[in-house]
Amino acid sequence: MPPRLCALCNEARAILKRPKTGQQICKECFFWVFETEVHNTITEAELFKPGDRVAIGASGGKDSTVLAHVMKTLNERYQYGLELFLLSIDEGITGYRDDSLETVKRNQQQYDMPLKILSYNELYGWTMDAIVSQIGKKNNCTFCGVFRRQALDRGAASLHVDHIVTGHNADDIAETVLMNIMRGDIARLGRCTLICTQGEDTIKRSKPFKYAYEKEIVMYAYFKKLDYFSTECIYSPDAYRGHARVFLKDLEAARPSAIIDIIHSGETFEVKEEVKATQKTQQTCKRCGYMSSNELCKACTLLEGLERGMAAAAVTERARKKLDAEGPAPENLRTIPFYQQAHPPTNAAGLPI
Amino acid sequence: MSGLVSVKVEFSGGLELLFDNQRSHRVSVPSHVSTSGKKTLNNNEGTDAGEGRPADLAHLILWLRDNLLKEREELFVENGTVRPGILVLVNDTDWELEGEGDYQLRDGDDIVFISTLHGG
């Protein structure tokens, strides 16, 4: 078979078939189009302003490792004027996170970015190892998810950043669209395809890889020889997400555009105003000051359950009632330090990139 | 002609865990495979090399499953090929450009399997 030439430059040998377009392209053109598409995603959504301080949520895995590399590349190539940081959360999972954090520490050297690591133990007084030894493997993803979200915001506040970017890719978003449909969570369905979200007074979060296929992210890491860590979390992964993932991969094998098509469907759903109205208004957690839709935020409720030995409290409504019936939280209960939102100086130019 | 084809196989992205946690392997597989899936009486009469069709990548995948894989076969093979979400490269080229499972193995080929299914 004669080598196929790149559909873009017509010179070099093609090494990759793009899932999005079916185009066969060479290595250099692949790097260029991958980076340029992310740049276009960033500029079209006007994600940043010059002078912004941006934390990259870094797990040491493929997505965030490629994100750190691409953010650094684009920031230099197009002079975004961003100050970039790596922010890692240490969930306290022996044999998993401790190893992946070593990767992040190497990334810190390789990319020359300041790194902040915030641990669950430091913030909540509990590691995931300790949580799982109390509650078992069922539902532990709920704790981890709630705790990580708040930990990322708190870590970002301590770095005084304006913005957190995460490595969520097109496959992740399509998967979440499917899951929200399968769970009937229409309010979330309306939000899950947004490229940038911002709570009442929290830091912006966005997903520059929203339209980047996992296949291309992995290929990019492979051809750039990026250093990343890949091991499944040792505590049982979210089973429902697992089904959505397998289903999506099967769809992609039959029709590669399925992923982008599902995101498109998610984006164009019109969520009725009545459905939106059922969402509770945001308030501030009376115990820790973090944004919340109830008097107590989810993390405080989970932590109280753990501390009082009734960990199911925030997972089911019935257990929550039981916890309340046991009486108010004891005075000496361990709580999360009060959240202070950093108010960074606004930049003078103020124009989006 | 020799009855074996020698290739380098690499596993990454978490797949190495299924293969004794070893990323790189050098393997020799029969250069030809019987044309029918099952053994027939005629097989006993022929010589072992030069018969049947040349070994291809689809054959290598099943050979790896039967000879090198240590655990959880369903995470590597599904419906006779690699599970969706596993990327395959032949001499640093996406196997989708090389005919996927129909690619005929050659001595010295470098075959890479990368799982995309592990956490980001």
Side-chain angles (χ1 to χ4, degrees), chain A residues 160-172:
Chain A
H160 304 289
V161 300
D162 310 274
H163 211 128
I164 304 169
V165 290
T166 57
H168 292 99
N169 59 43
D171 297 53
D172 296 327

Side-chain angles (χ1 to χ4, degrees), chain A residues 123-124 149-151 153-154 157 199-203 282-301 303 335-343:
Chain A
L123 188 55
Y124 306 111
R149 186 174 175 86
Q150 184 163 157
D153 273 340
R154 286 170 177 266
E200 197 64 17
D201 74 334
T202 51
I203 296 152
Q282 290 288 314
Q283 45 182 312
T284 317
C285 172
K286 67 172 184 189
R287 193 173 290 163
C288 79
Y290 189 71
M291 66 165 179
S292 171
S293 46
N294 294 297
E295 271 202 340
L296 274 191
C297 74
K298 197 95 175 156
C300 279
T301 315
L303 184 60
T335 56
I336 308 169
F338 205 79
Y339 183 68
Q340 266 157 350
Q341 162 75 355
H343 288 287

